[in-house]
Every structure is written in C-alpha cells, then in structure tokens.
C-alpha cells in the first residue's frame, strides 16, 4: 500500500499543531568535523535520555554532532498529550531548528514518528531502528533521502517480519543485528549496531563528496 | 533571436555549464528552485542582482516593496514551506523581518549560498536552438559581461517590483507628491501630512491603516468593493477558520463563507464603502482588520474612484474633493521579463499576460520555466515549493524517459494558459495571475504524481 503525496495539508491548515516545549539533548564533537548532525527520537516515555548514556557520546566521538529529542509528553518536554501528527510536527520543528540538515534516526515507536516526519522534512538520510510502525502506512518522504532499516531479528517488539515489511516499503534490505535486543542503545551490546549505522553514514557522506 | 544578438555585449564564446540549470533570482521562489533542483540531483547556478537573499522580503533591497509594518497576511502554518516549518512559537502573522530571517535560515540550513552568485544580473536569456540556453550575466557594478550556456533556465525574478502607475486627467499638473506604494517605506514620511491612499488591494488597505496612525488626515480611494477577511475569525486566523470549511463542496463553501463574513465583518456600505459586486472567491479577498476600525474612528475617510486631479486637489467620481500633500498609489505591479522574448512565455495576446503550462512551464520550450508567477488567495510559499518540485520531476523525466516526456509534452502544450480557479474569475490582464489556492495546489500534486508515473 502506498499513500499519496499530501500537498493540500488539510488538517494542518484547519487545525495546526500548537507549540509545546521540546527537549533537545546534545553531545558535540570537540572539533567540527564537517560530518552531518544526527537527531535521534524514540518512542520511549523517557525520551531523549535513552540516547545520552552510550549513543550520543559515541557518535560525537566519531565526529557527528549528536542530538536527541523528547517530543511532547516524553522526558523533559511539555507534559501534554500528542498524537502521531503532533509528534511528527515536533520532530520536523527540531530538525529545522538545527544549523544544517540532519540525519534523522527513529527507534521503536520513534520510527513511526520518523516515518511520518519524513513527509514534513527532507532529512539528509533516515535510519529506522527496531521500527514499530504498527498498521500505519508511511507517507512518501520529502526529498528522497537514503534510508536504512536496522534491528534484531529476535526482537519480539520489532520482529524480522516487521523489519522486512518496513524495508520493503522503502525498497531496502534491513540490516540485522542478532542479539542486540529491542532497546539496543541501552543494552550491553550497544556499540556494534551504532558503529554499523555510523559506518553507513560515513560511506554516504564520502559518496556525496565524490 | 540570432546569435548576433549577443554582439552588443561584446562577449564571445559561451562557457558551457553542461547539464547545469540556471536560476534567476534568490527570492523566496529562487531559493526553492535551487534547493529542490539540487535535491533531485541537478547542478544549479543561481544569479541574484542584489547582494543578499530574500527578494521582496529583504527591506534593504532597492526593489523591495515592504514597508515598516508589513506582516504576513497569510497565517504562519499556511505560509511556511511544506518541508521546512517556521518556528511554532512565532506569532500567527510574523513581521517581514522574521520572514527574511526564515528565508536566510533556509538558505544556510540547506547550504544554498555556495550556489548563488550575488551582485550578478541576468540581462539576456536566449535559446541556442538545440533546447539549451545562452545566458548573459552582468555584474551589477562593472561591465564585464559573461556568457554561459545552460541545459535549462528557471525564471524566479518576481513580479512585485515594476510599479503599475495609473493615469488620471490633470495628474501631471498636480503640485503635491505622487508616489507608488513601492516607494512608501515608513510612516515618519507622512507624519502631520494629508495623505490619499489609492487602491484597495492588500497593500493599499494595509498602508492606509499605517498612514492613518500618523498622518493629519487620511483618505482611501477604491474603485470597487471587496470582500474582507479579518485577520481573526472566531478567534482563529481567518485563513485557518475558512480552511475549516474546505470539506464542503465549493458552492456550499462559498455560500457559508459569505454568510460568516457578512456576520463577522458586516456591511461595507455602512462604512461608506462599496459592496463587492462579485461572489466571494470570485476575486481574491482582502485580508485586513483595521480598515473599518479606522473608518469607524474617522481616521480614514473612504472615497470612490478618482475622476481627475487639479493643481492642488483630487476630484472623486462622486464629485467630492480632497486636498492631499501626498498621494500613495497602491495600484500594483506589472509582470515584466525584460531579458527574454515574451513569446517564449506565451505573452502573445494583446493583454501581455503569460500563458504557461500549469502556470509555470513555457509552452514554447521544454527547458524554460517560471516559478512564483502566481497571485493566490493564500500563501505563495507552498505553491512555489510544489512548483519547483514538479519542475525538478519534469526535467528528470526528460533525462530518464524521453518517450514519456514527449507524451506528456504533447498533451500539455494545448493546455497552456489554463486557469486554476473556482468557477469564473475575472480574466483581465490584472487578474490573469490569480489562482485559487486549493485548486492550484491540488493540480500541482496531480502533476507531480503524473510526472513520477504514480497512478
Ligand atoms: C507588501 C506585500 C505583502 C505580501 N504578503 C504576502 C503574504 O503574506 N504571504 C505570501 O505568501 N505572499 C505575500 N506577498 C507576495 C510575495 O511577493 C511573495 O511571497 C514572494 O516574496 C515572492 O517571491 P519571489 O521569489 O517570486 O520574488 P521576489 O521576492 O521579488 O524575488 C525575486 C528576486 O530576483 C532578483 N532578480 C530579478 N531580476 C533579476 C535579474 N535579471 N537578474 C538577477 N536577479 C534578478 C531580485 O533581485 C529578487 O531578489 C506579499 C507581497 C507584498 C508586496
């Protein structure tokens, strides 16, 4: 199933999503490296904080200005309810607020926020990690970003079938990390999947420069 | 049209930029073209005669039409680009300096600056005969012109800079000052003066309100009656409130909107203004909340059309007179393309109005397009965005699938000049650029999907 390109934005015209405070946590490389900024989002109620322990510092260490977002209702963001549209709005707002075009990375239900947000912001690249899209059919992304789907085939919440379905939707083969678990950014084996994702991004950036 | 046309410039062999696309202008529309063409893999060179981006919205530019109190008349969520939101803690109707800040951020966020040549004016665009274009670039200071060759050219030179000045009997004998609204910048110039503002378009009504707060006496002359949409309807920005009726079939939506506006705004005749002689959406409504307020306080005196000028007075169609120091003509702008053959843009009729495919592609050449050449009842930003996306898809289709491109073109050319409006809109030259926001948006969406081969 595909969704048509939505140019008329009916609901956003009649009833725009109101502002709500967002939380953005960041770890930046010591010296600028010219690598694109990263912006992580998850579906976890703790929000940005799930990325601050391992992933943000390691990504920064590898030269990426690393940011994580709490959308409304999560972590240190405004304690207000929001649906997928509001969360995608928060993601697009956060992405547009950075100085240069970021890579967007969504984990778990955050991948659903990302998939929706990609229609509102032309990410430099997008990574859907252990995606839990449920029954939602993602809209066509703006600006045709390179897309990576990654996860643990043994993860009960985003099982192999979900990884393959999401990959098929975007026309890519999922990258599999056996044993990484669902919350791979918090597990003991947090480093391997992140390194693989960052290697993929490094290769993209090299190709862009060439 | 011959090669010889360039001799006058004393420039010889063209520097061939291969498959690159040339974009003229770095205002709202030009920036969109650079970003969206690059996103589709094209190499882009953009030329801007000013030394900065922003076009109309950059009040430092010579030709900028903005005045001190210019704010958006379309509300923020409806104005922003569909893939680069304005900060959601900005007001409903941002100030012109915020709009410029937004365009500057867009430029830097997407790294567009390195593709823009500032202080460079395009003085000529000519077809080479094989589907490509020779472009003459002149530095604004100095005269070392260069000739470059491009695969495609995008005109984003704007249409709010060439003042349209009406002619009235006796105008030249009038000893007061007559200026076009584009030259009106700040209210200190009218402080303590008697001022007549002419024209009931958005600029005219807006400027009349600003003048009224500063001048000794203010008159506002309009030829016809208009529909007014206040900046707020039922506590919501007017465009958002009316968008709430979008689900209704057009005829019913028109009727309901008319009833709402009659209730909320009231009868213009009660304020001494003409009633609109056309249905709502038949011509674009004016977004304004303070005109009637000022009329109600006596700080603006409404007047009908001007009949003639005398040495020191203006005589109106109803025989009344006014004695202004300054007359501000908010009478709009002409559409001018002084650097290319008007025939390329389908400007062949007696009215000089362009007739384009989907109001953006030249019907004479597959690789020439104009973006932002619309006048909409709503924001121009999303329209220009989707125009440039459609343009990128079209240029890509030509490269990728020449056969499909030929089929598209054969179908599109006879359709050039089509209007994207509800029902019947005024077809005078002045209204030729008008589109109904929702109709045109939908047409652009369909066009994009067609060019992508989505069924
Ligand atoms: C007072 C006023 C209020 C408005 N309010 C709204 C609003 O609320 N919402 C809305 O959507 N729209 C509004 N508009 C419409 C506005 O014009 C458009 O939003 C938009 O700014 C037009 O952008 P553009 O890029 O098409 O043209 P411009 O902004 O005019 O940019 C054209 C650029 O091309 C450059 N250029 C021209 N010729 C050449 C050449 N030969 N060589 C090189 N460079 C060249 C110019 O220097 C300029 O920078 C308003 C307009 C006015 C006048």
């Amino acid at each position: 199933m595909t969704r048509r390109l939505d140019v008329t934005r009916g609901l956003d015209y009649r009833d725009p999503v109101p502002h709500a405070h967002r939380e953005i946590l960041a770890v930046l490389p010591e010296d600028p490296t010219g690598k694109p900024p990263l912006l992580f989002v998850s579906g976890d109620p703790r929000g940005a904080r799930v990325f601050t322990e391992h992933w943000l510092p390691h990504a920064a260490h590898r030269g990426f200005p690393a940011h994580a977002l709490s959308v409304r209702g999560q972590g240190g963001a405004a304690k207000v309810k929001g649906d997928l549209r509001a969360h995608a709005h928060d993601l697009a707002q956060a992405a547009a607020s950075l100085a240069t075009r970021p890579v967007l990375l969504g984990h778990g239900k955050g991948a659903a926020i990302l998939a929706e947000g990609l229609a509102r912001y032309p990410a430099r690249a997008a990574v859907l990690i252990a995606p839990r899209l449920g029954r939602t059919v993602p809209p066509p992304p703006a600006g045709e970003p390179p897309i990576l789907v990654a996860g643990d085939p043994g993860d009960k919440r985003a099982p192999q079938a979900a990884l393959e379905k999401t990959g098929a939707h975007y026309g890519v083969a999922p990258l599999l990390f056996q044993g990484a678990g669902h919350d791979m950014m918090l597990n003991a084996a947090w480093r391997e999947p992140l390194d693989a994702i960052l290697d993929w991004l490094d290769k993209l950036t090299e190709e862009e420069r060439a | 049209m011959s090669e010889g046309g360039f001799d006058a410039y004393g420039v010889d062999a063209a520097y061939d930029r291969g498959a690159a696309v040339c974009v003229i202008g770095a205002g709202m529309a030009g920036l969109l073209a650079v970003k969206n063409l690059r996103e589709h893999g094209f190499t882009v060179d953009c030329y801007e005669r000013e030394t900065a981006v922003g076009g109309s919205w950059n009040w430092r530019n010579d030709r900028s039409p903005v005045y001190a109190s210019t704010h958006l008349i379309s509300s923020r969520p409806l104005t922003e680009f569909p893939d680069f939101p304005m900060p959601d803690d900005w007001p409903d109707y941002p100030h012109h300096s915020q709009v410029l800040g937004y365009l500057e951020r867009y430029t830097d966020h997407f790294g567009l600056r390195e593709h823009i040549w500032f202080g460079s004016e395009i003085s000529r665009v000519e077809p080479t005969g094989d589907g490509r274009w020779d472009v003459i670039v002149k530095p604004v200071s100095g005269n070392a012109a260069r000739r470059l060759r491009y695969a495609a050219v995008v005109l984003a030179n704007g249409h709010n800079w060439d003042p349209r000045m009406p002619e009235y009997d006796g105008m030249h004998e009038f000893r007061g000052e007559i200026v076009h609204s584009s030259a009106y910048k700040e209210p200190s110039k009218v402080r303590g003066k008697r001022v007549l503002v002419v024209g009931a378009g958005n600029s005219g009504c807006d400027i009349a309100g600003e003048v009224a707060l500063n001048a000794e006496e203010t008159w506002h002359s309009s030829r016809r009656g208009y529909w007014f949409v206040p900046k707020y309807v039922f506590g919501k920005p007017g465009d958002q409130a009316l968008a709430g009726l979008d689900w209704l079939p057009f005829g019913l939506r028109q009727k309901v909107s008319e009833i709402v506006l009659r209730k909320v705004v009231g009868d213009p005749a009660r304020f001494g203004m003409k009633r609109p002689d056309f249905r709502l959406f038949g011509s674009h409504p004016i977004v304004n909340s303070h005109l009637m307020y000022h009329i109600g306080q006596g700080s603006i005196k409404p007047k009908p059309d001007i009949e003639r000028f005398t040495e020191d007075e203006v005589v109106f169609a109803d025989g009344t007179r006014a004695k202004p120091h300054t007359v501000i003509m908010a009478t709009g702008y002409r559409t001018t393309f002084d650097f290319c053959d008007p025939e390329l843009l389908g400007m062949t009729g007696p009215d000089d109005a362009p007739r384009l495919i989907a109001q953006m592609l030249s019907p004479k050449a597959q690789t020439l397009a104009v973006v932002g050449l619309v006048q909409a009842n709503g924001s121009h930003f999303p329209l220009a965005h989707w125009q440039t996306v459609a343009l990128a898809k079209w240029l890509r289709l030509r490269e990728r699938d020449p056969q499909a491109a030929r089929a598209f073109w054969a179908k599109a050319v006879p359709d050039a000049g089509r209007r994207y409006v509800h029902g019947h809109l005024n077809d005078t030259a002045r209204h030729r650029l008008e589109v109904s926001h929702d109709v045109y948006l939908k047409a652009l969406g369909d066009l994009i999907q067609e060019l992508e081969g989505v069924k």
Side-chain angles (χ1 to χ4, degrees), chain B residues 24-30 47-50 54-57 61 63 65 67 70 72-74 120-122 156-158 160 203 339 372 378-381:
Chain B
I24 304 176
M28 180 274 288
Y47 297 97
E48 168 54 60
R49 61 189 290 280
E50 302 281 355
S56 295
W57 293 103
N61 289 349
R63 292 172 171 181
Y67 36 90
T70 306
L72 281 179
I73 52 170
S74 44
S120 305
E121 183 165 32
I122 300 297
N157 58 317
N160 282 326
S203 297
F339 45 71
S379 169
H380 295 108
F381 289 52

Side-chain angles (χ1 to χ4, degrees), chain A residues 95-188:
Chain A
S97 75
L98 300 179
T100 57
R101 185 197 302 228
V103 175
L104 301 182
L105 309 95
H107 173 268
K109 286 194 169 158
I113 300 176
L114 169 57
E116 199 65 32
L118 286 177
R120 296 149 186 274
Y121 180 81
R124 190 179 297 229
V127 186
L128 294 93
I129 306 159
R132 296 175 67 191
L133 303 188
R135 273 194 299 274
T136 57
V137 179
E144 306 171 3
I147 290 181
L148 182 69
V149 177
D152 176 354
D155 172 3
K156 293 228 166 40
R157 280 178 281 176
Q160 179 137 13
L163 295 176
E164 268 159 19
K165 193 177 153 209
T166 307
H169 178 85
Y170 291 109
V172 297
L175 198 59
L176 303 179
F177 304 108
Q178 200 77 46
H182 183 71
D183 287 333
M184 55 183 87
M185 62 284 193
L186 295 168
N187 293 345

Side-chain angles (χ1 to χ4, degrees), chain B residues 195-208:
Chain B
V195 181
L196 167 65
V197 180
V198 181
N202 276 301
S203 297
C205 295
D206 214 31
I207 289 174

Side-chain angles (χ1 to χ4, degrees), chain B residues 69-99:
Chain B
S69 71
T70 306
H71 287 75
L72 281 179
I73 52 170
S74 44
S75 76
R76 172 178 49 76
L78 279 74
T79 303
E80 65 195 15
F81 299 141
D83 65 350
F84 189 71
M86 289 189 186
D88 60 2
D89 53 357
W90 277 11
D92 289 331
Y93 295 103
H95 185 245
H96 69 76
S97 57
Q98 286 176 304
V99 179

Side-chain angles (χ1 to χ4, degrees), chain B residues 161-211:
Chain B
W161 54 271
D162 189 9
R164 183 200 300 270
M165 276 294 231
E167 277 292 327
Y168 293 101
D169 278 347
M171 192 167 156
H172 301 287
E173 284 74 60
F174 181 67
R175 281 197 304 243
E177 179 188 34
I178 302 179
V179 297
H180 188 264
S181 60
S182 57
Y184 171 81
K185 293 287 161 208
E186 36 142 358
S188 65
K189 294 270 156 53
V190 297
R191 199 153 291 154
K193 289 192 176 159
R194 293 188 304 273
V195 181
L196 167 65
V197 180
V198 181
N202 276 301
S203 297
C205 295
D206 214 31
I207 289 174
E210 186 177 283
V211 167

Side-chain angles (χ1 to χ4, degrees), chain B residues 206-244:
Chain B
D206 214 31
I207 289 174
E210 186 177 283
V211 167
L213 291 171
N214 294 279
E216 182 194 314
E217 196 165 6
T218 307
W219 299 273
H220 182 221
S221 155
S222 59
R223 196 176 313 175
R224 49 197 296 224
Y226 283 91
W227 287 93
F228 288 93
V229 176
K231 279 201 155 172
Y232 288 91
V233 175
F234 304 135
K236 272 181 139 190
D239 50 6
Q240 294 174 23
L242 292 184

